[in-house]
Every structure is written in structure tokens, then in C-alpha cells.
Amino acid sequence: MTQPPVSVIVVSRGRPKALRRTLTGISQLVYAQFEVIVVTDAEGMEAAQFLDFGHQLKLVLFDEANISAARNHGIAAAAGEIVAFIDDDAVPETGWLWHLMAPFDQPEVSAAGGFVRGRNGITFQWRARSVDGAARHSDIALSSDKPVEMSPAQGRAIKTEGTNMAFRRDVIAEMGGFDPAFHFYLDETDLNMRLAEMGAVTTIVPLAEVHHGYLESARRLASRAPRDLSGIGASMAVFLRKHCPEAERAAVWKAFQRDQRQRLVDFMVRGEMMPGDVARLMRGLRQGYGQGLERDITVLPRIPRAADGFRRFEGTSSSSVVVAGRHWRRRAILREAQVLARAGRVASAFVFSRTGLFHRVAYDAEGFWVQTGGLFGRSGRGGKLFRLVGFRKRLQQEKQRVARQRLLLDEGAVAFGKDKT
């Protein structure tokens, strides 16, 4: 595979700790030619600069609550042939760029998107989807984990997720990048629709995986319960003005309000908000929609190429290694993984208990992967609830489950700590 130079763009605001974790994960990517552009506030700038590899980053100061404008600043600083985007509450698998860039060997491909795993590191948040002019999504069933080129049907677009997407820089720059009328929410969907109108080809790459955490922000709690819906309402108004026939907008907006209200009621039933919160948030949604109706929608100017050239990032990791053992050796296993990560290895720790507990996967801020769960419990949520299996066989199965995403190719680099059984 020819590896085109890539500019990885991370936008962050008000989350310096999360940003450091994301950048640590990016530093372990296995890919020959990439640069890292961080568009962030002063707090994020300081956090990034004090990383061991901080001097290798392109840092762009931007402190406005507008992710679309921030992403455009990232594109303006990008000198790669491809621009790839990941959020500051996400971490890529080690082989993310390796897989995500493969489709760009084909000149007709303008965009690519991968799969996104949720908080437990196992369940998928998003896989392959399409979207229409009413912002309604539909799942696309794929028969394998091989990349699939897709041309959209009339009035629909192939969806790429904001935390795991890539575009040819010349294409997206000529389009003017992301529309700043979307301060957040639906901005990448708007871009997908505009690409579809051009007849652009998008490739979905299942093995290009990102783990996404949904961290707390000014808009939502850690539980994902919303604090404010005005921004969503405003973005929905802008999206419908751009992509939905005028005669259909009222019905679409009514259905959208109904869905949002049901979402809030579900949070209330779980005890995560009060009845008064539902009414307040719905008022905010409607007020935001009114604001979105007043926002300017203009022709976006072309984004010029970066003046300072490509700044190749020298990765911090040399090879992958696995450490594994029983739950009673957990602390020793994690210490070993931490030492290996500091030595420049991509470490994956597997800790199994003699239970049927579900498995979880997380990326530790110290720079290594951790999978915990019962020896007899399931990892893939479609698997059996309980199955009898030996430790070594289960370890091999779990390694194989993530091997291609994480590029765990060195079968000899397996350490069991002090657990040889």
C-alpha cells in the first residue's frame, strides 16, 4: 500500500487531560508519514507542549465554541495529502491510519470513515450508515470487514463520523471545509451531503477503529444526559435549510422534537434528570432552532494550503507486546504494561478473572491498552453469555479479536508476568 502523507487534526477545548490521552494514543500510531495538528485553547496548548513529543506537534490557538471553524483552522495548517479527524475524547487503535488510508490508493475515493467503539471498548457506537436531507440515519449492513467503496443514492449521503473520518485535503479545502454556521452537531453530516451532491465516493473501513468516550462537556453530563439542547436545535435548523425541501421541514422538525423529548424522558426515568429539566431543555431546543433560522448561510471560501510545510511526526512506539495474567496479578501486570509503554512499546494488557463477567477495553492515560473481564464471560456482545475455556486459549482468542486493528503481529512478544499457568 502506498502511504500518502496525512495530517491528523484534533480539536479540543476545555479538556486538557483528555487531550493528553488522545495525543498519547496518536503518538503510537503505526504509519510512515503523518503530522499532528492540535487546534485548542490556551489550557490545551500548555497540556500538549509538556508532552514528551510536544515539540513535534503543530499547535493552533483557537478558543471559540465552534468546532466547524476550529476544524477549518486545522485544515489551513495541514500540509498532508489527506486530512484525518479524531475527537479529544477518543483514542485510535494503533493501526487506525494504516487501515483508514488504504482506500486513498484509488483516485476516485474522496473520503473514508471507520468504525467507532463506545465506552466499554467492545460495543460499537457507529458502524456503516447513510443519511438523508432530514438528518435521518440508516444502518448499512456490510458482509465483511474489508473496505467498501460507496456512492450515495439520490438525496442521501454516506455518513462519516466526526471522530473517525478522513478526506482528500484538496477536495475538502476547495469546498471551504466545514460550515461554521454549525457550531457543532451535524457539521460533518453537512459535509457528507455536500460531497454526495458532487458524486464523491466514500469508503467505509471497518478495521479503522477509534474508541470514543463521550466525556462530560458544557453540553452534557458524564452520563450523556444533556445540559443544553439549544446548539442542537440551531444546527438542525441550519441543516434543514440547506438540505431538506421547504415543504417537508415542519414535519421533520416536529418529529425531531418528539424524538428529543423521548430521549429526555428516558433519562428522567433513569433518575438522571428531573421533570423540570425536560421542560427547560425542550425550551432551549426550540429557542436554538429559532436562532439557527437566523444564522447566515454563505458560500464558503477555499481554504489555502499551509505555509510552513509538512511536519513529519516521529512515532514513539517500536513494536507491540502483550502482557497477561489472572486478576490477582492485576497490579503487577499493569505496572509491567506501564514500563513497556514508557520504553516505547505498544502494550496490551489482558487480565482475566475466573468469572463470567463481561469484558471491557480501555486505553490507560499512561499509554497502554487494558482488557478486563471473566475468563468465561463474553467480549463481543453477540457471543455466548458463558463458555468454559482455558486461560491460554481465551487469551489467544482475545488477541485475535483485536490483532488487525491494533497490529498485534508479533506472536513471540507475549509476557505472562509471573503467571505461567
Side-chain angles (χ1 to χ4, degrees):
M1 178 187 81
T2 302
Q3 294 193 333
V6 184
S7 299
V8 178
I9 299 172
V10 186
V11 171
S12 182
R13 186 170 183 267
R15 295 197 290 217
K17 185 177 179 180
L19 175 62
R20 288 174 63 92
R21 176 174 171 269
T22 298
L23 292 174
T24 299
I26 290 172
S27 76
Q28 295 178 335
L29 291 171
V30 175
Y31 194 79
Q33 300 186 80
F34 71 99
E35 63 177 2
V36 183
I37 300 166
V38 184
V39 185
T40 186
D41 55 12
E43 197 176 16
M45 294 274 283
E46 183 178 6
Q49 286 171 336
F50 279 95
L51 290 165
D52 291 342
F53 50 84
H55 62 285
Q56 297 192 61
L57 306 171
K58 282 185 177 180
L59 299 176
V60 180
L61 181 61
F62 185 82
D63 191 6
E64 295 178 22
N66 188 320
I67 194 171
S68 301
R71 284 171 170 166
N72 288 347
H73 279 277
I75 297 168
E81 180 182 331
I82 311 296
V83 288
F85 294 87
I86 184 170
D87 290 346
D88 68 350
D89 58 352
V91 176
E93 287 282 3
T94 313
W96 175 55
L97 281 186
W98 179 276
H99 293 295
L100 191 61
M101 293 304 108
F104 291 102
D105 273 355
Q106 304 301 315
E108 71 273 13
V109 174
S110 295
F115 282 12
V116 180
R117 292 192 187 267
R119 284 180 171 178
N120 62 24
I122 300 286
T123 306
F124 285 110
Q125 281 179 359
W126 302 301
R127 288 184 274 194
R129 300 193 294 170
S130 66
V131 63
D132 66 9
R136 294 174 297 219
H137 300 88
S138 298
D139 291 337
I140 301 174
L142 301 183
S143 59
S144 74
D145 57 15
K146 294 181 179 179
V148 180
E149 288 188 13
M150 298 183 180
S151 297
Q154 183 68 32
R156 299 195 70 84
I158 305 304
K159 183 75 173 71
T160 59
E161 309 303 338
T163 192
N164 187 356
M165 59 185 183
F167 308 91
R168 291 196 188 275
R169 189 202 178 279
D170 287 349
V171 172
I172 193 173
E174 192 64 34
M175 297 169 61
F178 297 86
D179 189 343
F182 297 90
H183 294 184
F184 87 106
Y185 185 67
L186 295 177
D187 64 327
E188 76 272 14
T189 310
D190 167 68
L191 184 63
N192 296 150
M193 294 297 293
R194 288 152 55 204
L195 283 168
E197 291 166 5
M198 296 166 48
V201 173
T202 297
T203 299
I204 298 299
V205 190
L207 290 177
E209 286 189 9
V210 159
H211 293 245
H212 184 225
Y214 273 128
L215 291 184
E216 185 174 0
S217 71
R219 298 184 301 271
R220 63 173 179 250
L221 299 172
S223 66
R224 293 180 63 180
R227 286 173 160 153
D228 176 51
L229 291 180
S230 61
I232 287 178
S235 286
M236 189 64 177
V238 174
F239 188 87
L240 295 181
R241 288 168 63 198
K242 294 186 70 173
H243 302 293
C244 185
E246 187 172 1
E248 300 175 16
R249 292 175 195 169
V252 171
W253 170 235
K254 183 177 181 180
F256 184 79
Q257 291 180 84
R258 184 173 61 249
D259 292 343
Q260 290 297 311
R261 182 177 180 79
Q262 183 59 56
R263 182 166 74 101
L264 298 178
V265 169
D266 291 342
F267 280 115
M268 184 183 69
V269 170
R270 294 198 295 267
E272 295 172 11
M273 63 175 57
M274 300 297 290
D277 295 327
V278 175
R280 173 181 59 80
L281 289 166
M282 289 302 297
R283 283 197 302 272
L285 181 72
R286 292 188 291 270
Q287 290 169 359
Y289 189 82
Q291 294 165 6
L293 293 176
E294 301 300 321
R295 287 184 183 172
D296 290 336
I297 297 176
T298 61
V299 176
L300 303 176
R302 183 180 65 84
I303 300 175
R305 183 165 291 277
D308 58 350
F310 190 78
R311 187 179 302 176
R312 186 173 181 270
F313 187 90
E314 298 292 340
T316 62
S317 300
S318 57
S319 61
S320 60
V321 61
V322 169
V323 290
R326 313 281 187 171
H327 73 284
W328 58 80
R329 300 199 183 278
R330 176 188 174 97
R331 293 179 65 181
I333 292 165
L334 298 187
R335 281 198 303 269
E336 188 173 356
Q338 183 180 39
V339 169
L340 289 164
R342 289 177 177 176
R345 309 292 294 277
V346 180
S348 297
F350 294 85
V351 184
F352 302 146
S353 60
R354 290 186 63 82
T355 68
L357 291 174
F358 286 8
H359 285 227
R360 299 181 65 87
V361 176
Y363 183 77
D364 190 275
E366 293 294 328
F368 58 90
W369 294 92
V370 183
Q371 179 169 334
T372 58
L375 185 62
F376 315 120
R378 69 182 182 186
S379 51
R381 295 307 189 244
K384 293 181 179 179
L385 281 174
F386 190 92
R387 53 178 174 161
L388 290 175
V389 64
F391 180 89
R392 291 180 181 273
K393 183 176 181 180
R394 185 60 191 269
L395 175 61
Q396 186 63 25
Q397 290 171 345
E398 295 308 315
K399 284 170 54 185
Q400 289 176 348
R401 190 182 61 81
V402 299
R404 286 181 294 170
Q405 300 93 313
R406 202 168 299 166
L407 303 183
L408 288 177
L409 304 178
D410 186 358
E411 293 298 325
V414 179
F416 286 87
K418 296 180 180 179
D419 191 333
K420 302 293 185 180
T421 61

